[in-house]
């Protein structure tokens, strides 16, 4: 989905929330999108500082017959509204208050008080071997004001849709790289004196020390504003000391509760039905597996959002909390301080939750506690590090042994990856060579009957063609999933009926029951022209 559409949906979400709030407070709601860019400004009624402080703006200057009109927000103090009412009435003037969204307030304030800072060039991502762009961006970054360089980096990363910013100390320079659509790209080389500025900003905002002699984890938030409105970025910060200073990685979580929807993940019908079945009968255990950055959290949060109704109590245990969701009790667990998810889980089960999400199962104690919780009427969602669904079972058996309780608790295991999507306007069709054709046929030879098989004699593939709109020929990423629904054949391995078990045996049983593997799902996406075989192999 393009950025403009996402921003428009964020704004729509903000307006709907404001409209609901206005109805509760009994205040007239006004959508400013129709006029905020060109309404004549009612100046000299109230100064900019008072507008910022009270989170309100004048929309119309009044006279003897027409009341003054002010747009207030959900953050405007009620006491201010009352004192203004008295003040205007004492002068024989009428005043009217209407409620506008936070985004509308910011858009109007940008006209009352236009930003005065210098507008720097946007960062461009260099193509392979393009040192001129890196040099140009480095020049821009080194010219950005000292107090703005940190914010500028984050704003630009958000604009580019980056998931991580890597700040790496080298002997003479600081290298900045950004991960975009899952691939790491060099962005710039900063002068060494910028290190102190960036670490100072990180230290104060993410609560980490620039003098620490060990790895640190921190968290911060930043409000980012662009032409489409304002949204909140959650940033997870990890630092580690190196030979030339602290290297830092900032992971960007573009928080927008309205975007955490299963419908947005474009999950194929068969797999979506399996997830819906779990969501409609919330009990047992669901595991998400995959490497860091494969979108596990987004899928888990989207499932939580689908379960988030007024008749359910939902608790999460997280290290750290990546997205804040209203209606769910989220509990941070600092596992670096010696506390484990198992300890926290035992405590929260006393609160009688219907659904619990455990950030990650890392040890035997957490695994056993989560399994115990899932057979006593709770739905337990968690993530687990494994490459595939069958490998997850092998690892879990290694962790807790063949276990009848686990076999009856576990309902679904999802392995997922994010692959880059080919840019439709520029991708180019080509005829694959014989070796590639043979490999594709071999990979898809045992597809389950429920999956529509493409013609493997005449298929074509596509390759990325770089353009200004898509410098690497890709645009965005999409989820590919392998889902293993636990049935009797799989339960036999888990409870010990089958003495011999390993990943290949479990996968063979799952495929017999209709599972499509991650590799097969990826290859099918490449045959549809959504991605490339190179990308599928890179990710899987």
């Amino acid at each position: 989905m393009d950025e403009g559409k996402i921003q428009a949906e964020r704004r729509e979400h903000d307006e709907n929330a404001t409209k609901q709030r206005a109805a509760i407070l009994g205040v007239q709601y006004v959508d400013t999108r129709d006029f905020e860019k060109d309404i004549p400004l009612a100046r000299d009624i109230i100064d900019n500082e008072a507008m910022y402080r009270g989170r309100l703006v004048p929309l119309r200057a009044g006279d003897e017959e027409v009341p003054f009109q002010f747009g207030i927000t959900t953050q405007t103090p009620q006491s201010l509204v009352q004192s203004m009412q008295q003040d205007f009435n004492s002068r024989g003037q009428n005043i009217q208050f209407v409620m506008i969204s936070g985004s509308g307030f910011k858009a109007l304030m940008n006209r009352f008080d236009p930003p005065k800072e210098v507008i720097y060039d946007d960062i461009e991502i260099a193509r392979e071997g393009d040192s001129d762009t890196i040099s140009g961006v480095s020049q821009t970054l080194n010219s950005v004001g000292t107090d703005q360089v940190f914010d500028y980096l984050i704003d630009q990363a958000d604009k580019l849709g980056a998931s991580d910013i890597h700040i790496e100390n080298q002997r003479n320079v600081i290298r900045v790289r950004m991960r975009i659509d899952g691939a790491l790209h060099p962005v710039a080389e900063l002068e060494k004196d910028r290190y102190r500025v960036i670490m100072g900003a990180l230290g104060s905002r993410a609560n980490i020390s620039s003098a620490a002699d060990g790895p640190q984890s921190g968290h911060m938030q930043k409000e980012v504003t662009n032409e489409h409105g304002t949204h909140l970025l959650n940033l997870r910060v990890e630092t580690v000391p190196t030979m030339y200073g602290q290297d830092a990685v900032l992971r960007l979580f573009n928080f927008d509760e309205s975007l955490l929807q299963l419908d947005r993940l474009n999950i194929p019908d068969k797999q979506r039905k399996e997830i819906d079945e779990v969501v409609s009968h919330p009990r047992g255990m669901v595991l998400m597996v995959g490497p860091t950055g494969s979108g596990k959290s987004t899928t888990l949060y989207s499932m939580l959002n689908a379960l988030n109704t007024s008749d359910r109590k939902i608790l999460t245990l997280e290290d750290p909390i990546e997205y804040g969701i209203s209606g769910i009790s989220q509990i941070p667990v600092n596992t670096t301080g010696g506390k484990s998810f198992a300890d926290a889980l035992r405590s929260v089960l006393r609160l009688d939750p219907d659904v619990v999400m455990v950030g990650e199962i890392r040890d035997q104690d957490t695994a056993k506690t989560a399994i115990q919780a899932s057979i006593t009427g709770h739905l337990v969602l968690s993530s687990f590090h494994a490459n595939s669904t069958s490998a997850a079972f092998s690892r879990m058996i290694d962790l807790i042994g063949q276990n009848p309780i686990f076999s009856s608790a576990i309902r679904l295991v999802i392995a997922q990856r994010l692959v880059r999507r080919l840019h439709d306007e520029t991708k180019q069709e080509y005829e694959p060579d014989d070796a590639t054709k043979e490999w594709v046929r071999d990979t898809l030879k045992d597809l389950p009957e429920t999956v529509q098989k493409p013609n493997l004699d005449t298929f074509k593939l596509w390759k990325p063609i770089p353009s200004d709109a898509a410098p690497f020929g890709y645009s965005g990423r999409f989820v590919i999933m392998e889902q293993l629904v636990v049935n009797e054949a799989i339960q036999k391995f888990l409870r010990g009926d089958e003495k011999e078990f390993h990943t290949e045996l479990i996968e063979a049983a799952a495929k017999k029951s209709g599972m499509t593997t991650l590799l097969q799902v990826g290859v099918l996406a490449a045959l549809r022209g959504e991605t490339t075989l190179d990308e599928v192999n890179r990710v899987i």
Side-chain angles (χ1 to χ4, degrees):
M1 189 181 292
D2 66 72
E3 184 62 22
K5 194 170 178 189
I6 287 175
Q7 297 288 4
E9 289 191 6
R10 284 196 185 110
R11 181 65 189 268
E12 183 67 28
H13 182 65
D14 192 10
E15 295 301 331
N16 288 338
T18 307
K19 190 175 184 178
Q20 288 170 1
R21 186 72 182 145
I24 292 167
L25 296 172
V27 180
Q28 184 189 338
Y29 157 76
V30 170
D31 187 338
T32 59
R33 282 177 289 189
D34 300 334
F35 59 78
E36 63 195 25
K37 289 187 172 72
D38 47 27
I39 185 177
L41 297 181
R43 293 191 182 277
D44 305 323
I45 298 172
I46 181 173
D47 64 39
N48 289 346
E49 194 184 334
M51 288 190 237
Y52 281 123
R53 208 169 44 242
R55 301 283 289 181
L56 82 177
V57 284
L59 299 177
R60 182 180 66 215
D63 53 32
E64 292 78 21
E65 295 172 15
V66 178
F68 285 80
Q69 189 182 60
F70 280 80
I72 60 172
T73 66
T74 54
Q75 293 171 298
T76 305
Q78 195 56 37
S79 56
L80 177 62
V81 172
Q82 289 165 354
S83 68
M84 285 179 71
Q85 187 98 46
Q86 289 165 1
D87 188 35
F88 274 74
N89 289 349
S90 68
R91 298 200 299 263
Q93 296 168 323
N94 288 324
I95 184 171
Q96 178 191 21
F97 295 100
V98 295
M99 185 161 285
I100 63 174
S101 67
S103 302
F105 169 77
K106 287 189 175 70
L108 286 161
M109 281 310 301
N110 275 342
R111 292 185 59 212
F112 276 105
D113 184 26
K116 296 175 184 63
E117 73 271 12
V118 182
I119 304 299
Y120 298 101
D121 292 340
D122 282 341
I123 285 177
E124 278 181 60
I125 297 296
R127 296 183 195 178
E128 198 73 44
D130 177 4
S131 56
D132 290 347
T133 298
I134 292 176
S135 155
V137 174
S138 304
Q139 211 170 336
T140 300
L141 266 170
N142 283 312
S143 71
V144 173
T146 302
D147 55 342
Q148 293 170 284
V149 66
F150 185 69
D151 285 331
Y152 174 77
L153 256 184
I154 296 172
D155 287 345
Q156 288 293 309
D158 178 65
K159 210 170 204 173
L160 289 163
S163 58
D164 310 73
I165 306 171
H166 292 246
I167 298 164
E168 300 159 326
N169 286 279
Q170 297 180 333
R171 186 194 292 271
N172 300 315
V173 293
I174 302 166
R175 180 170 70 167
V176 177
R177 296 192 290 173
M178 291 185 187
R179 192 179 294 281
I180 298 168
D181 291 340
L184 206 53
H185 300 292
V187 169
E189 292 184 341
L190 295 181
E191 293 162 2
K192 279 297 265 189
D193 63 357
R194 294 271 143 150
Y195 171 74
R196 187 180 48 79
V197 177
I198 290 171
M199 286 313 295
L202 266 181
S204 59
R205 296 198 204 179
N207 195 27
I208 58 172
S209 162
S210 56
D213 57 2
Q216 299 171 91
S217 297
H219 177 260
M220 57 176 279
Q221 290 186 325
K222 184 179 185 301
E223 221 174 49
V224 177
T225 304
N226 53 32
E227 68 271 21
H228 300 292
T230 299
H231 60 278
L232 191 65
L233 265 186
N234 271 328
L235 291 102
R236 192 156 126 192
V237 180
E238 303 289 342
T239 67
V240 65
T242 68
M243 183 188 280
Y244 299 113
Q246 300 242 13
D247 278 12
V249 176
L250 283 67
R251 289 195 70 194
L252 281 66
F253 297 95
N254 195 338
F255 169 66
D256 190 331
E257 195 177 321
S258 65
L259 299 184
L260 296 170
Q261 306 289 343
L262 286 170
D263 292 340
R264 293 181 170 278
L265 302 180
N266 297 322
I267 302 167
D269 289 344
K270 177 177 175 285
Q271 293 175 316
R272 179 59 192 271
K273 277 179 190 145
E274 290 165 357
I275 291 176
D276 287 344
E277 169 63 21
V278 168
V279 170
S280 60
H281 300 98
R283 55 174 178 72
M285 190 179 205
V286 176
L287 286 180
M288 286 286 313
V289 304
T292 303
S294 58
K296 299 191 298 292
S297 295
T298 302
T299 304
L300 280 173
Y301 277 109
S302 299
M303 289 175 77
L304 282 180
N305 235 353
L307 288 156
N308 190 8
T309 54
S310 57
D311 59 342
R312 285 197 187 106
K313 184 172 183 72
I314 302 178
L315 293 170
T316 71
L317 302 169
E318 304 174 60
D319 177 22
I321 294 170
E322 290 173 1
Y323 300 99
I325 301 181
S326 46
I328 291 177
S329 301
Q330 295 173 264
I331 301 159
V333 179
N334 180 11
T335 54
T336 53
K339 196 175 180 188
S340 78
F341 281 121
D343 298 331
L345 181 55
R346 278 189 282 269
S347 304
V348 301
L349 288 173
R350 297 186 197 121
L351 301 175
D352 188 29
D354 298 292
V355 181
V356 182
M357 184 183 96
V358 181
E360 190 184 336
I361 291 178
R362 299 174 187 161
D363 56 75
Q364 188 185 78
D365 194 13
T366 305
K368 287 188 168 174
T369 310
I371 291 162
Q372 200 62 46
S374 66
I375 60 161
T376 51
H378 308 87
L379 174 64
V380 177
L381 305 173
S382 190
S383 67
F384 189 57
H385 272 288
N387 282 329
S388 67
T389 55
S390 7
F393 282 123
S394 291
R395 275 206 62 211
M396 189 62 86
I397 292 169
D398 288 343
L399 197 63
I400 61 169
Q402 289 181 298
N403 186 320
I405 299 177
F406 177 52
S407 74
S408 56
I410 186 76
R411 295 181 61 197
L412 178 67
V413 182
I414 303 171
Q416 78 171 46
R417 302 287 190 278
L418 289 170
V419 294
R420 289 185 289 177
R421 186 186 292 281
L422 280 167
H423 189 57
D424 282 335
E425 279 70 45
T426 58
K427 69 183 182 185
Q428 195 175 87
E429 191 180 67
Y430 72 95
E431 179 82 31
D433 59 34
D434 290 343
T436 304
K437 283 181 177 175
E438 196 50 49
W439 181 82
V440 168
R441 288 186 196 115
D442 188 54
T443 303
L444 299 180
K445 68 175 184 289
D446 53 0
L447 268 181
E449 289 172 13
T450 49
V451 177
Q452 191 177 353
K453 210 170 187 175
N455 187 327
L456 296 179
D457 296 322
T458 60
F459 70 86
K460 298 280 193 291
L461 292 169
W462 281 260
K463 59 184 170 188
I465 302 296
S467 66
D468 289 341
F472 301 93
Y474 294 98
S475 178
R477 289 188 292 175
F478 64 98
V479 167
I480 57 171
M481 283 182 173
E482 168 183 298
Q483 286 186 186
L484 198 164
V485 179
V486 179
N487 58 15
E488 178 60 27
I490 302 298
Q491 284 179 337
K492 284 180 179 176
F493 290 105
L494 306 184
R495 60 175 178 246
D497 296 356
E498 303 280 355
K499 293 303 169 205
E500 191 188 352
F501 71 88
H502 51 74
T503 302
E504 289 75 18
L505 279 174
I506 297 171
E507 186 172 287
K511 283 165 84 172
K512 213 171 179 179
S513 303
M515 183 185 84
T516 314
T517 67
L518 260 179
L519 187 59
Q520 289 173 332
V521 174
V523 170
L524 289 169
L527 296 189
R528 289 193 298 269
E530 294 169 5
T531 188
T532 63
L533 285 186
D534 284 347
E535 176 66 6
V536 170
N537 283 315
R538 179 184 76 84
V539 168
I540 298 175

